[in-house]
């Protein structure tokens, strides 16, 4: 892998690798847009970093095209539940209040939990903490939100950093909430960013055919 930055949404540089407990490769990227007064605005650029061992967990999809995979929610279900480390790097393109992002995340996660009949008091409390974490933030352009999902535990570490301020972090320990945050970004046809899902599907299709 070269160390050239990958440019997402024309202007946002993403490193081809990040190292958490081990190096993870950028396997998918794209943008999420947000509707503000009926206008679709590019809101964030997204990079999905995965342990390359993920390919071993997806062998039954070998030979499928990227287009097929992008439309196959079972494939993304397997990707989300595979016991490998995952890391999402989200860079703000359009300045907004953190509370707007928090509300978007909250409703997406809550709807998914409710649909699976998993929205109980513990989930509500865990989700409230996440919303609170973003509430006080201001998403300046180029602010970075990261989600780190360790390989074996049902936890997530969410970090936020913006120019001129140190990084702040929160750990989410409710496995159901963590799973739905993963699915918000990596949930196949229901993911928040179709361009990211499509890119991820194309890359994994190529990796699987090696």
């Amino acid at each position: 892998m070269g160390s050239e930055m990958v440019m997402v949404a024309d202007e946002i540089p993403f490193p081809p690798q990040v190292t958490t407990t081990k190096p993870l490769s950028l396997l998918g990227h794209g943008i999420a847009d947000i509707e503000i007064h009926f206008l679709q605005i590019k809101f964030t650029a997204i990079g999905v970093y995965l342990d390359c061992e993920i390919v071993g967990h997806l062998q039954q999809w070998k030979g499928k095209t990227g287009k097929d995979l992008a439309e196959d929610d079972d494939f993304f279900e397997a990707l989300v539940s595979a016991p490998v480390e995952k890391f999402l790097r989200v860079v703000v393109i359009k300045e907004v209040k953190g509370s707007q992002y928090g509300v978007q995340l909250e409703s997406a996660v809550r709807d998914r939990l409710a649909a699976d009949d998993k929205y109980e008091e513990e989930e509500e409390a865990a989700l409230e903490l996440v919303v609170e974490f973003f509430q006080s933030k201001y998403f300046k352009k180029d602010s970075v939100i990261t989600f780190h999902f360790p390989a074996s535990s049902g936890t997530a570490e969410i970090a936020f950093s913006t120019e001129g301020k140190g990084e702040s972090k929160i750990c989410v320990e409710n496995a159901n909430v963590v799973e739905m945050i993963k699915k918000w970004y990596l949930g196949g046809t229901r993911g928040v960013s179709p361009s990211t899902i499509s890119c991820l599907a194309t890359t994994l299709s190529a990796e699987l055919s090696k």
Side-chain angles (χ1 to χ4, degrees):
M1 294 285 278
S3 57
E4 288 290 304
M5 285 293 199
V6 177
M7 299 311 270
V8 178
D10 308 332
E11 52 177 343
I12 314 257
F14 277 73
Q17 267 194 343
V18 296
T19 300
T20 48
T21 54
K22 53 161 124 180
L24 306 179
S25 299
L26 179 62
L27 296 186
H29 52 77
I31 60 152
D33 41 24
I34 188 172
E35 196 175 285
I36 300 178
H37 307 307
F38 306 109
L39 287 173
Q40 285 305 111
I41 311 273
K42 279 186 194 172
F43 172 44
T44 51
I46 299 162
V48 180
Y49 294 85
L50 299 170
D51 182 342
C52 290
E53 283 177 12
I54 188 85
V55 176
H57 295 274
L58 302 171
Q59 286 301 311
Q60 72 186 83
W61 286 275
K62 199 177 172 76
K64 297 271 189 184
T65 65
K67 189 177 181 312
D68 287 342
L69 294 180
E71 290 165 3
D72 187 341
D73 285 348
D74 290 342
F75 173 75
F76 282 95
E77 189 79 35
L79 184 148
V80 165
S81 60
V84 303
E85 213 171 328
K86 302 171 186 76
F87 185 88
L88 300 172
R89 183 170 184 268
V90 180
V91 181
V92 176
I93 300 174
K94 170 76 181 156
E95 233 173 80
V96 293
K97 292 192 179 90
S99 55
Q100 279 180 280
Y101 179 80
V103 163
Q104 207 191 2
L105 182 144
E106 180 187 28
S107 67
V109 169
R110 193 178 49 216
D111 291 353
R112 284 173 165 78
L113 286 168
D116 286 2
D117 219 5
K118 289 180 179 168
Y119 191 59
E120 306 288 339
E121 277 173 23
E122 292 86 357
E123 284 72 28
E124 186 177 2
L127 199 47
E128 260 171 33
L129 286 175
V130 177
V131 173
E132 226 164 83
F133 174 73
F134 287 117
Q135 190 73 36
S136 58
K137 310 282 182 274
Y138 189 73
F139 284 24
K140 286 199 291 206
K141 185 171 170 14
D142 298 329
S143 300
V144 177
I145 310 137
T146 59
F147 296 85
H148 177 220
F149 304 103
S152 54
S153 72
T155 63
E157 184 179 77
I158 305 176
F160 176 79
S161 56
T162 190
E163 196 190 347
K165 293 193 175 174
E167 187 176 59
S168 45
K169 291 182 175 178
I170 180 177
C171 187
V172 185
E173 293 183 338
N174 180 294
N176 288 334
V177 169
V178 169
E179 181 193 4
M180 296 312 172
I181 292 174
K182 278 187 214 172
K183 287 187 174 174
W184 189 41
Y185 276 110
L186 303 172
T189 57
R190 292 182 59 209
V192 69
S193 165
S195 55
T196 304
I197 293 297
S198 166
C199 178
L200 202 48
T202 303
T203 307
L204 287 167
S205 164
E207 289 294 323
L208 281 163
S209 65
K210 283 178 182 173

